[in-house]
Amino acid sequence: MTCLAALIAVALSPSLMATDVSSPGDARVALARDLASILHQPALDTAIRDHLGNGKAPLAEILNEYAQTAVADGKQDVVDDMLDLDRQAVHLRGLEGRLGHIASVRVHGLGAHPQPRSLRGFWTAAVTSDGSTGKKQVVAFDPEGKRHSFAIDQAPDIPMLLVETDGTAAVQAGMAVLNEAARGASSSRRLTTFARADAGETKGELLTILKEIYLEKDHEPNIQGDAEVFAVVSGVDAAGKPVVVTQDMPWLDHDKRWYTPRQDLINWTQFGTNYVNVQFFEDDGNVNFQKLASALTEAVGDTALVVSPAAPPALIVAGISRIGQKILGAMESSWFENSTDYIDSFYVLERGHDYGSKNAPLIGARGEVKMVLAPYEVRQR
């Protein structure tokens, strides 16, 4: 019985049990903790540096390479736990079936040339929320595995491996989830070309191009690296039902800088009136896109928001503005850690109009985004 009890105790020891987590932030912290426990292994050190490239790398690729020697090092259980945590993080972001893995590691604290010759002495860390205050914090593990917590702007500038979400992959997959949910929200919704009665028949697709854009503040702490910005365009379709279309902007990664993307921000064939809203958000690495899709669908699906394209313009404008407010409410109150992940809103942009110039740009309601828009018609062949 004594031997059996000992065997059960070993089998259930924390180092051999899969870790269950309840949030993406918890998953990142658990991954940083596990990584700290095996970072001294020479084969893992080599695998990480082999994959770092531009200073960051997918964690699963590193672990799969290290798995070849993990058994000999006696660390296979840790590798298995980390791969399971990575899969849990995908699930907690609502991206199952879209991504196999989502965690990545990035070098922090080495300045402009993040190519270490060795990881000896490195800490590991992750950004998460303080359970008592809800504010973002950095949870770090020193080479001995001791846990430290710092305010997001007070983390020590020492060599660290940051465990984070592959934000670009997550947002791209998340945009697909949101757009599919929006298309499926109403079986009567169709993509149609809308032309004003005095404009004649449209011969092609009319777009509104984002010529230039500037962020006053991207709401991404420096330790978290590049921002992951996306836009939500909202209006109504030809039947007067709300339409929500999301746009990924992987190139818009820093504030205090003018960008000239010439991206098609609005495709007017997706809307049934001459007016839409455009709102900008920054993904904080924690949003569950499946739940967010449900929240947005519910928010804009309110029958009180239905606006007939034949209604007087003032009524259409009021209804579309209300859709934008509903979207903002769903974003802020439910699926983002705090309101700082909301960047700015532009309400009731009109089809066919030029907006702003670099010297006198269009400024958002919050004053955080400046942009220049121009109409563009894609002629049919």
Side-chain angles (χ1 to χ4, degrees), residues 175 229-233 245-249 265 278-281:
M175 295 304 93
V229 177
F230 63 93
V232 176
V233 184
V245 179
T246 56
Q247 289 268 26
D248 181 21
M249 297 179 164
L265 182 62
V278 176
Q279 294 164 292
F280 292 93
F281 297 87

Side-chain angles (χ1 to χ4, degrees), residues 87-345:
R87 287 186 288 268
Q88 289 186 62
V90 172
H91 169 74
L92 291 165
R93 296 297 304 273
L95 297 175
E96 281 182 306
R98 309 263 178 185
L99 296 176
H101 302 279
I102 200 171
S104 63
V105 294
R106 176 170 57 86
V107 174
H108 174 75
L110 290 185
H113 303 285
Q115 295 294 336
R117 295 182 178 180
S118 170
L119 300 176
R120 184 180 299 275
F122 268 59
W123 291 28
T124 62
V127 176
T128 186
S129 295
D130 186 311
S132 58
T133 67
K135 294 183 178 180
K136 290 182 180 179
Q137 64 175 350
V138 177
V139 176
F141 299 87
D142 63 26
E144 286 71 46
K146 184 179 179 181
R147 176 175 170 143
H148 307 264
S149 297
F150 306 96
I152 191 70
D153 57 350
Q154 295 178 355
D157 190 24
I158 60 176
M160 291 185 183
L161 278 180
L162 283 172
V163 177
E164 56 187 11
T165 295
D166 183 343
T168 299
V171 171
Q172 288 176 350
M175 295 304 93
V177 170
L178 296 178
N179 286 330
E180 287 178 14
R183 286 195 295 268
S186 171
S187 59
S188 65
R189 186 172 300 160
R190 295 291 184 269
L191 301 186
T192 58
T193 299
F194 175 79
R196 294 185 307 184
D198 61 351
E201 183 181 356
T202 299
K203 303 276 187 199
E205 291 187 8
L206 186 62
L207 310 176
T208 291
I209 300 295
L210 177 59
K211 294 178 65 178
E212 300 182 70
I213 188 168
Y214 180 95
L215 302 184
E216 288 287 352
K217 186 178 180 181
D218 61 18
H219 298 285
E220 187 77 341
N222 288 336
I223 195 170
Q224 287 191 260
D226 295 345
E228 299 294 343
V229 177
F230 63 93
V232 176
V233 184
S234 59
V236 297
D237 66 11
K241 295 186 180 292
V243 176
V244 175
V245 179
T246 56
Q247 289 268 26
D248 181 21
M249 297 179 164
W251 43 267
L252 187 56
D253 49 13
H254 287 92
D255 54 22
K256 305 293 190 296
R257 179 187 303 177
W258 277 102
Y259 290 84
T260 56
R262 293 197 62 82
Q263 179 178 359
D264 56 320
L265 182 62
I266 306 164
N267 186 330
W268 290 96
T269 65
Q270 297 172 301
F271 300 94
T273 74
N274 287 338
Y275 308 98
V276 298
N277 311 301
V278 176
Q279 294 164 292
F280 292 93
F281 297 87
E282 200 282 321
D283 175 41
D284 65 359
N286 294 292
V287 65
N288 183 311
F289 285 101
Q290 291 286 355
K291 292 183 178 180
L292 178 56
S294 297
L296 290 180
T297 300
E298 181 178 355
V300 303
D302 185 340
T303 56
L305 295 177
V306 174
V307 178
S308 170
L315 182 59
I316 294 173
V317 167
I320 288 174
S321 294
R322 191 176 174 194
I323 291 172
Q325 293 296 332
K326 285 279 188 176
I327 289 172
L328 187 56
M331 289 282 196
E332 288 191 333
S333 62
S334 299
W335 310 121
F336 283 77
E337 283 188 280
N338 51 57
S339 62
T340 61
D341 294 297
Y342 158 56
I343 301 177
D344 214 335
S345 294

